[in-house]
Amino acid sequence: MVEQQDQKDITFEGIVDSISFDQFKATFLSWTEQDLQKKLGAIQNPKIQRKLQSFLESVQVQLTDSDREMAKVYADDPLYNIAYFARAVSQMHPGWEQEGFETEDFKSEVVKLYKQYHGMGKLVKVSELNQLLTDFWGIAATTLADNHFRIASPKTGRPFKNKEETIAKWTRERPLKVRHPEQGNVGTNISYNLEQLNKILMCANQITPNGLAPLVVGERVVGGQTFGVLGIPDCNVHWGSPQEEYETARLDRFAQTFQNNYKNWDGVIIDVRGNMGGTSIAIEKIAELLCGGKVPYCLESKKRHTEEAALREIASLPVQEQAKWTDTTFDKQSDLPIFVLMDGQTASAAEAIVPMLKHYKGVTFIGEKTMGCCQYGAIKPVPLPCGGILHMGGVFRYYEDGMVECVGHKPDIDCTGRDALQVAFEQIEKKQKSLNQKVEHHSSKGRV
């Protein structure tokens, strides 16, 4: 065991190997069982209950009473928790073996943390548990370029109270690898500024009780042309929750409203400023209608094929890989000009609109670089021995621009400091004025 060695002999590989796969599996499935049982007790929807019950039965088939006992024994052991965390990340994270994904700093920080806790007692207080979880998150935030990575406490949700103070502590030795801008610099989403629209076709026009922002389909006349305007500041679906059915129906209605009206428009403005992601079902539908067929979410996606990664599919739906996409031509795409408004908070499923519309011939991206929170998809929970939850992606996505995580997708027109919607209006008017001048020029040449 690593804990019996002299501290100078401790290595990352030794920490990972200090627990066996059987121990890892027992801990993973034991805490997954408890989590599923808790969810079953809180969910009333029969459809969701059946799904969760099926997952629970799959877990229990592989669990023994001795597995459950062992998980309890090690739950408050800080060294076991650190070794488990190291093994989970190194064997499950989809970026770990990818070119360009740096891991050496992560390894060295885990070793430092292990030495720090070496010889210390059990995790007795909630504050001690939360400190360890905060340490895990701090290591990841300063060494791994992964904007989706996060850790939850079983007692308090986020393991730390003051976000700014905590980040300041993390960054005393090295800067953050993650990129989480607090607010974009190119204006707010049209959904919060409806007076800019001449007509509203669909609107959930207030913040809903479950925290969803309004979705808007409207029209605006610009330069004598009618443009459809889609306000998409939120596309969350809380899968497995009582709100799931309402939230998916809301997105379906949004996509259907677009489908019923887009052929009547002279162009479309798609506003995803401030949209931190969720599900891409509505955005994918819009992109497919405009492009005349299936569009790629990315060039290709792959999952890890390790024993540890396979555990995640026992208690959830299998992670789907995407075969390499080679066709970037769309013969049936519409001829509508498209303007996509984006900012530093455009992330995850919302950010996917860039690769999905990148090869659409009439698209213009306006605003600022997106967050870069998209390389690792299929986020699934990984239970930690102490009861915390590690949220980590299940697939690595390949893009034409290479590694875009924590980098973002660039706009065609960077208008930092200006309202992207007003810049879009200017572009439309400019193109229309140019077109009118050409028509007038040809008309005057034909006069006798």
Side-chain angles (χ1 to χ4, degrees):
M1 294 288 288
V2 172
E3 59 187 290
Q4 297 174 332
Q5 298 177 5
D6 190 280
Q7 286 209 35
K8 69 178 186 299
D9 298 324
I10 295 173
T11 65
F12 180 81
E13 290 71 23
I15 293 171
V16 170
D17 292 339
S18 69
I19 61 173
S20 67
F21 171 72
D22 287 340
Q23 288 176 306
F24 186 93
K25 178 181 178 182
T27 299
F28 182 97
L29 293 181
S30 294
W31 288 107
T32 298
E33 177 187 44
Q34 292 190 30
D35 185 53
L36 288 169
Q37 289 170 334
K38 188 186 301 182
K39 287 178 179 176
L40 268 170
I43 296 295
Q44 303 299 319
N45 186 311
K47 181 180 177 181
I48 298 174
Q49 281 184 330
R50 288 193 295 271
K51 186 190 300 181
L52 292 176
Q53 183 63 42
S54 175
F55 291 151
L56 178 59
E57 290 170 1
S58 297
V59 168
Q60 291 175 332
V61 165
Q62 302 198 39
L63 263 179
T64 65
D65 288 339
S66 61
D67 289 334
R68 296 182 180 94
E69 283 303 312
M70 191 208 69
K72 291 178 183 177
V73 168
Y74 287 112
D76 55 3
D77 183 337
L79 295 184
Y80 185 87
N81 274 272
I82 295 169
Y84 181 101
F85 172 70
R87 189 174 190 124
V89 175
S90 63
Q91 298 303 308
M92 289 177 159
H93 196 289
W96 190 266
E97 297 175 330
Q98 296 294 330
E99 184 179 351
F101 187 78
E102 299 174 2
T103 61
E104 290 308 309
D105 285 344
F106 176 84
K107 292 178 182 179
S108 64
E109 288 300 308
V110 167
V111 171
K112 283 170 58 177
L113 185 68
Y114 196 93
K115 290 179 178 179
Q116 177 186 324
Y117 277 89
H118 204 267
M120 293 177 61
K122 303 290 187 180
L123 300 168
V124 178
K125 301 176 182 178
V126 172
S127 59
E128 294 172 338
L129 163 63
N130 284 339
Q131 183 56 57
L132 181 62
L133 295 177
T134 301
D135 290 338
F136 287 166
W137 202 339
I139 288 174
T142 57
T143 65
L144 302 179
D146 182 353
N147 273 332
H148 268 123
F149 195 104
R150 68 188 191 279
I151 294 174
S153 166
K155 304 291 185 182
T156 59
R158 182 185 285 170
F160 46 84
K161 292 180 180 179
N162 189 305
K163 180 180 176 182
E164 289 73 22
E165 198 175 284
T166 302
I167 290 176
K169 289 179 181 178
W170 290 347
T171 55
R172 280 174 190 162
E173 292 187 13
R174 57 166 46 89
L176 291 177
K177 278 272 191 175
V178 295
R179 178 174 178 259
H180 280 182
E182 293 297 321
Q183 186 174 358
N185 296 301
V186 289
T188 57
N189 198 286
I190 184 65
S191 290
Y192 304 109
N193 194 15
L194 298 183
E195 61 268 22
Q196 295 273 11
L197 301 175
N198 301 120
K199 185 177 181 181
I200 297 173
L201 302 171
M202 177 222 163
C203 178
N205 61 357
Q206 60 183 1
I207 302 295
T208 60
N210 54 359
L212 299 175
L215 284 177
V216 173
V217 181
E219 293 180 355
R220 166 72 183 241
V221 177
V222 187
Q225 297 180 298
T226 300
F227 271 71
V229 182
L230 310 182
I232 320 174
D234 186 301
C235 51
N236 264 321
V237 171
H238 297 84
W239 302 109
S241 74
Q243 295 85 29
E244 177 184 337
E245 191 171 338
Y246 163 76
E247 291 168 355
T248 53
R250 172 177 174 266
L251 288 167
D252 287 341
R253 184 162 64 94
F254 176 82
Q256 189 62 51
T257 304
F258 172 79
Q259 184 173 355
N260 293 343
N261 291 277
Y262 80 99
K263 291 184 179 178
N264 301 324
W265 298 331
D266 297 305
V268 183
I269 298 171
I270 304 173
D271 194 346
V272 287
R273 289 175 294 176
N275 190 323
M276 301 282 281
T279 176
S280 63
I281 53 177
I283 288 174
E284 283 187 71
K285 178 69 173 177
I286 290 165
E288 288 174 8
L289 286 169
L290 290 170
C291 293
K294 186 71 175 175
V295 291
Y297 197 92
C298 56
L299 285 181
E300 184 181 9
S301 69
K302 291 182 179 180
K303 61 184 177 181
R304 294 288 296 280
H305 294 278
T306 62
E307 289 181 304
E308 290 82 358
L311 290 174
R312 305 173 83 178
E313 301 193 0
I314 295 174
S316 63
L317 294 173
V319 173
Q320 298 298 316
E321 296 180 301
Q322 178 186 304
K324 190 168 184 178
W325 186 275
T326 56
D327 184 12
T328 56
T329 60
F330 305 98
D331 296 331
K332 298 179 181 179
Q333 67 175 264
S334 75
D335 56 0
L336 293 174
I338 308 297
F339 296 89
V340 177
L341 315 182
M342 61 197 203
D343 64 11
Q345 286 187 314
T346 302
S348 195
E351 197 170 7
I353 198 167
V354 178
M356 284 194 285
L357 287 180
K358 187 171 185 175
H359 294 282
Y360 181 89
K361 62 186 178 185
V363 71
T364 304
F365 297 99
I366 300 176
E368 58 189 358
K369 277 202 308 185
T370 59
M371 182 185 293
C373 183
C374 53
Q375 206 101 43
Y376 314 109
I379 309 302
K380 290 180 180 290
V382 177
L384 299 171
C386 59
I389 299 289
L390 163 60
H391 296 274
M392 188 166 58
V395 295
F396 179 87
R397 295 182 178 130
Y398 297 83
Y399 294 97
E400 290 180 59
D401 296 329
M403 295 293 283
V404 296
E405 189 73 9
C406 302
V407 176
H409 297 283
K410 293 181 180 179
D412 297 313
I413 300 175
D414 189 321
C415 65
T416 301
R418 297 192 61 205
D419 189 320
L421 182 64
Q422 298 306 315
V423 175
F425 290 162
E426 290 171 7
Q427 291 295 309
I428 294 168
E429 289 170 345
K430 182 179 179 181
K431 289 182 179 181
Q432 187 59 35
K433 183 178 180 180
S434 176
L435 180 62
N436 290 341
Q437 288 175 341
K438 287 181 180 179
V439 171
E440 186 176 334
H441 175 71
H442 286 299
S443 297
S444 62
K445 284 181 67 176
R447 293 175 190 152
V448 178

